[in-house]
Amino acid sequence: MEITSKSSGKSAAQMKRLNDTKTILRQPILLIAVIATIILLALFVVYPLVKVFIFSLTDETGKFSVENLHNILTSSRYLKVFGRTMLLGLIVAVLATTVGYIFAYTITRVDIPMKGFMKTIATLPILSPPFVLSLSVIFLFGKQGLITKNLLGIKGNNVYGMPSLIVVQVMSFFPIAYLTLSGILSSIDASVEDAACNMGAGRWKTFWTVTFPLSLPGIISGALLVFIQSLEDFSNPATIGGDYTTLSIEVYNIITGTYDMRKGSVLAILLLVPAVTAYLLNKYWVNKKSFVTVTGKPTQARKLIEEPHIKWPLFIICMLFAAVVLLFYGTVIFGSFVRTWGIDFSMTLDQYRRALQYGFGSLENSIILALISAVIGGMLGMIIAYITAKRDYYGKKFIEVASVLMFAVPGTVLGISYILGFNTKPLLLTGTAAILVIVFTFRNMPVAIESGTTTLLQIDNSIEEASTILGANSGYSFRRITLPLLRNAFFSGIVYSFTKAITAVSAVIFLVSPRWTLVTSKIYGLFDLAKYGQASAFVTMLIGVLLLFIGIFNTIINLLLAPRSRVPKLTKKAEESK
Amino acid sequence: MSQEKQTSEFSKKSSNVILKDITKVFQQPETGNDFIAVNHINLEIKDGEMVTLLGPSGCGKTTTLRMVSGFEYPTSGNVLIGGRDVAKVPPNKRGISMVFQSYALFPHLNVWENVAYGLKVAKVPNDEMIRRTESVMEMMQLKGMERRFPNQLSGGQQQRVALARAVVIEPSVLLFDEPLSNLDAKLRESMRDDLRALQKRLGITSLYVTHDQSEAMAISDRVVIMKDGNIVQQGTPDEIYEQPVSRFVANFIGKANFIDGIYKGKDGSAALVDLGGNTMKIPMPGAMPGVEVGKACCLTVRPESIQLTKDSKESGALTGTISRATYYGTKIEYEVDLHGKPIIVEVYNPQLTERFRTGDSVSMKLIERCVRVLQ
C-alpha cells in the first residue's frame, strides 16, 4: 500500500508528537499559552538555578574555577555542617516515619475511640505556621521554662541544640509520613489480610508477613519526604538549633554576614543535591515499587481490630503523642497572653498590641502577596495542566520538568538563586514585591498543576467528544466543560499556595526588603531580640489568619461555586401561547 | 398525551449516509507498523433506517462509526451524509448526534442542562429551547428529574438522559457506540426495546455499533457483520441467521454445528451432499459461495434444527452418544459426540419430549429445510 512507505522509520510516539505539534501550531491561543509558559519557566525557574551553578563554578573575574568547590569540600568545618545536616535528616526521618506509621496503622486498622480527633492532630501541623514548636520548646524547657525552671527548679537550662531540634522536627514533619502511610494502608485490600488470617496467621504474624511488607514502599516514601523537609528546614534550626548548624543556616550566615555569594552558591548546591536526589528517588523509584493498585472500586469493608491488648496500648501511645502536640500549641497561645513568661503570668493583651505596632504592615504584606501569588499560581497551574495533560509536543517535557522543579529545590537554594538572578538590570527585581510574588507563585504552583492534571486525566475523552458532536467548537467546549470541571483543582491549588506562601521562611528570608517585609521574617527578628511573647502573639495571629482564610476559601467553594441546579422557565408570553 | 402530538414537536431532518470505498490505516503504537482498521468498505444507510455494525473487538466497527461522526478521517474514500461529502466537515458541523458507551454526561450540569446543551450551543431561542427540552424529557420519561445531577441517576436513567440529549437537536443521523454495554442484562433488554421504538417513531437514520449479536438482531433493520476491517455479510437479521455466507458468520450469530461432507452437485434447486457414504438431499442449500463439485464442503445446521431419537439404526441418521445434557428450563441443550466431534442439539419444551442422559446412544435427524451448505 502506498500509505505504508511514508511513515516508516519513525516511532508512533514521535508521530504523535509531530502531529500534536502541528495541531498546536494551528491554534493561536494554545500556541501563545505554550510559548508564554516556556518563557516564564525558563526565566523564573531554570535561569536562576543555572545562575547558582555558574556562580559556584567561577571566580571573582567570572572565569571557570573549582577553587570554591575545592575549598569547601576540603574544609572540615563545612564537611561537619554537611554531616550534621544529613544525620539530623536521617534521625528525624526514622522517628517521624515511626510515629506516622503508628498513627496511620491505629487510625486505619484499630477500633479506637476519638478517631476524628486523632486524624486532626496527625494532619494539623502541616498547616502550622513556622516557629510555633520552637517557641513552645523555649517556653517549656528554656531558661524561663515552665517545666525546667518553674516545675523542676533547674536554673539556666540550655535548650538550644540537637535534641530540641529532633523533637521539634519530628512533631512538625510526622504528618507528612502519616498522610503517605494512611493512604497506602487504607488502599491495601482488606481481603489480603483476611486471607493471611484465614490461613492461620495471628495478628502479629499477619502484620509482619503481609501488612508491613505491603506498606514498605509507603514507609520509604514517607521517610524520604520527611528527610527532604528536615534538610530544607530553616526556621527550627535557626531558632533552637544553637550550635548545631545545618546547611541552610550556614548559607544564611554566609550570605547575610559576609556577602560571599560564591561560597554561598557552593553550599547551596551541597544542599540541593541530596534534596533533589531524595525527591527523584521517591518520584521515580519508590512509586514504581508500589504494590498497591488503585482500582477506584471500593474494596470490601475492613473489620477493625478490637482485641483490648492491641487496641489500648496503641490508643495510649497515640493519645500521649497527641497530648504533647496539644500542649505545645496550647503553650504558644497561652504565652501570647502572658505579661512576662516565667516571671509574671498575669493575663494581658500587651503582646498583641506591641506585635501589631511592630509589624502590622508585614502581616498585611504577607496576606496580600500570598493572595496574589495564590491566584496567579492557581491560574498558571491550570493552564500548564491543560497544555500538558493530554497532548505531546516538542517542548512539553521541558514544561513538565521545569514546572515541578521548584518543588524539589530547598527554599534556601531558591532564595539565593533569585538574589543572583534578579539583582542586576534589566532583571532588577530584588527589593520589590514582585520578586516575592514570583517566588511564591513558582514554588507553590506544582500542587495546582498536579491536581489539575489529575482532574483532566479523569475526564473521559468522550465527554469532550459529546460536547463537540452536539455542535460546540473547541473554545465553547473549553469554557463550558473543561473549565468548570477544573474549578475544584483550581481552588485546592489556591488554598495550598496561600498557606505555603504565608508560612514561608527560608525562600524569602533573603528577598525581603525594608519596604517589603513579611510576617515570618518579622517573627524571626523577634527571636533575635528574645521577644518571645510578641513572637507568640504573632504566631497565634498567623494561625488565626490561616484558619480564617481557609474557612473563606471553603465557603467560596461550597456556597458560591457548588453547582446549582437550575431549570429555566418559559416566559409569560410563551406560556400563554402554549 | 398522544404519541402523535409528542412526535409532531419533532421536525424530521434525517438523511441517508453513504460510505464509499472507505479505508482507515492506523499506526500500531508498539511497532509503528501500519494497521488497516477498515479496508475499502462500501455501505449505504437509507433514510430512517437502523443499521447495526456487528463484529468481534478489533473488527473496525467503532472506527467506521467514528469516521461517520468525524472524530476520525478516512485515509481514503468518501463519507456522504444526505448526499453531501463531509470529508472536510468537522464533527460539530455535521448535524449528527451520538450516544456514547460511557454516556459521557456532563458531570457538572444537571439533567435539564445536559439535555438542553446542544440547543444552547446552536443558540436556539430561549422559549423554543425550553419547549423542545421539555418535550424530549417527557418522551424519555425524565420528567421530575430535571434538577438532578448525573451522579444522582441510575444507569438506566443516565442512558435515557444521554439519548434525550442526542435526539433533542434533531440530528440528521444518530450514532450509537455500544450504548447498552454498561447496563445489567435485564435493563439492557428493556432499554433495547425502548430505544428501537423511539428510533422508529422519530424515524432517525441510525448507525449502531455493538458486539452483542442478540442486541443487533433485536434492534436493527439491517445487520452488517465485520471482520478484520472487512464487511463479511450484510442483511436483515433473519437473512443473516438463516443464510450465513461463511462459518464465521454462522458461528458469530447464534450457535451452529458444522458437519463435513463432499458436494456431489445439484438436483434441481436442491444440493446433494455425501455424508460418509449416505447422500443427503438439501432442498434449500443457500448461495453456496466457493463450493465446488467433488470437493469437501460442510453442512451448517442450527442446534434447534436437529431432532433427537433413541438410536434407531435408521439409514441416513447420524448416531452418537450424549456427552453432556444441560437443563435451561425453556430447553435442554445436549452435546452429542459424533465420531469424536461435538454436535450441539437444543430440544425446546423439555416437558413434552423424551429426555436423554449422558451416555445414551441417540440418532440425530437434521431437518433438511434448515440445512445450508458452506465451503
Side-chain angles (χ1 to χ4, degrees), chain A residues 256-325:
Chain A
T256 53
T258 68
Y259 301 103
D260 187 342
M261 299 303 277
R262 292 199 151 72
K263 212 188 232 175
S265 299
V266 176
L267 285 172
I269 284 170
L270 234 46
L271 179 59
L272 179 69
V273 170
V276 171
T277 310
Y279 174 80
L280 294 176
L281 263 181
N282 178 48
K283 191 171 163 111
Y284 292 105
W285 186 68
V286 179
N287 286 353
K288 285 215 175 81
K289 294 261 170 217
S290 177
F291 304 106
V292 179
T293 48
V294 180
T295 53
K297 280 183 207 153
T299 49
Q300 188 197 344
R302 198 184 297 280
K303 175 115 177 48
L304 296 174
I305 297 171
E306 283 167 352
E307 288 98 317
H309 70 281
I310 301 173
K311 179 175 160 178
W312 294 116
L314 283 173
F315 177 72
I316 288 165
I317 291 171
C318 290
M319 244 359 214
L320 281 176
F321 201 83
V324 173
V325 170

Side-chain angles (χ1 to χ4, degrees), chain A residues 395-412:
Chain A
K396 180 194 155 180
K397 204 80 214 165
F398 172 79
I399 296 181
E400 278 184 331
V401 173
S403 60
V404 295
L405 198 57
M406 284 305 191
F407 207 58
V409 174
T412 314

